[in-house]
Amino acid sequence: MANPGAPSEEAFYAAAQANYDWLIAEGYSADRIVIAAQSLGTGVATWLASRNEASGLILEAAYTGMDDMAQKQFSILPAKMLIKDRYRSLDRIDQINMPLSWIHGTNDDLIPFVMGQRLFDAAQEPKVARPIKNGGHNDLWMRGIDALVRSDAERFASGG
């Protein structure tokens, strides 16, 4: 059986907000919630963090916007102008008022490290960059980032 609706930027945002609202309704306080995402999900997580309170935000292999990604992939076309779902994290990151942990492979061949660095640079303090030397896009967990994610999540949730 297929899921109802159609995938879209707004549908992803609505799903993320519904999950956040569910946690709050279940009695979890915002200071015990850590928003975390990887790759495409970082655009949704950045949106969610710009509109809700949480103890921290963890972004793995984050991008500035899907329109920037399209332009990178199709540089000879006006790809940036043709993208409907933009996920403009760069336009929201400075509105986020919580600690940020940014994890990115230095050899990511899908989302360039410099794009993630640009997003990180635009974020407010406190923030920590966690570049993974020689890490790619899909191998960061094999390189042990689970310990980084767990450590940052525990630190955020404990108020540290």
Side-chain angles (χ1 to χ4, degrees):
M1 176 193 247
N3 289 327
S8 70
E9 183 174 5
E10 292 305 318
F12 277 115
Y13 293 161
Q17 188 63 57
N19 280 282
Y20 179 90
D21 293 344
W22 179 85
L23 287 170
I24 297 297
E26 288 294 307
Y28 292 93
S29 62
D31 63 349
R32 300 287 299 153
I33 296 172
V34 176
I35 300 171
Q38 173 188 22
S39 194
L40 176 62
T42 64
V44 178
T46 301
W47 177 90
L48 187 66
S50 72
R51 286 166 170 69
N52 296 278
E53 293 181 19
S55 64
L57 174 62
I58 301 172
L59 299 177
E60 177 196 337
Y63 53 92
T64 54
M66 202 48 63
D67 52 342
D68 293 336
M69 287 296 300
Q71 196 60 54
K72 174 198 165 289
Q73 294 294 323
F74 303 101
S75 59
I76 63 170
L77 300 173
K80 190 173 201 155
M81 308 304 274
L82 302 174
I83 295 298
K84 176 185 172 205
D85 294 327
R86 296 179 180 264
Y87 300 94
R88 289 292 304 164
S89 294
L90 188 60
D91 297 344
R92 297 183 176 97
I93 196 77
D94 66 343
Q95 301 165 23
I96 296 172
N97 188 23
M98 65 186 68
L100 168 67
S101 174
W102 168 64
I103 303 167
H104 209 116
T106 60
N107 289 347
D108 190 324
D109 59 353
L110 181 62
I111 300 173
F113 182 84
V114 295
M115 184 181 286
Q117 180 75 57
R118 185 171 168 220
L119 184 66
F120 175 78
D121 290 345
Q124 295 184 42
E125 295 284 347
K127 59 186 177 180
V128 61
R130 304 216 184 267
I132 306 301
K133 187 176 180 182
N134 299 319
H137 189 74
N138 292 313
D139 67 348
L140 298 181
W141 286 90
M142 292 182 287
R143 293 173 178 274
I145 70 161
D146 55 322
L148 291 175
V149 171
R150 187 177 11 266
S151 167
D152 286 343
E154 289 172 356
R155 183 171 42 86
F156 293 161
S158 70

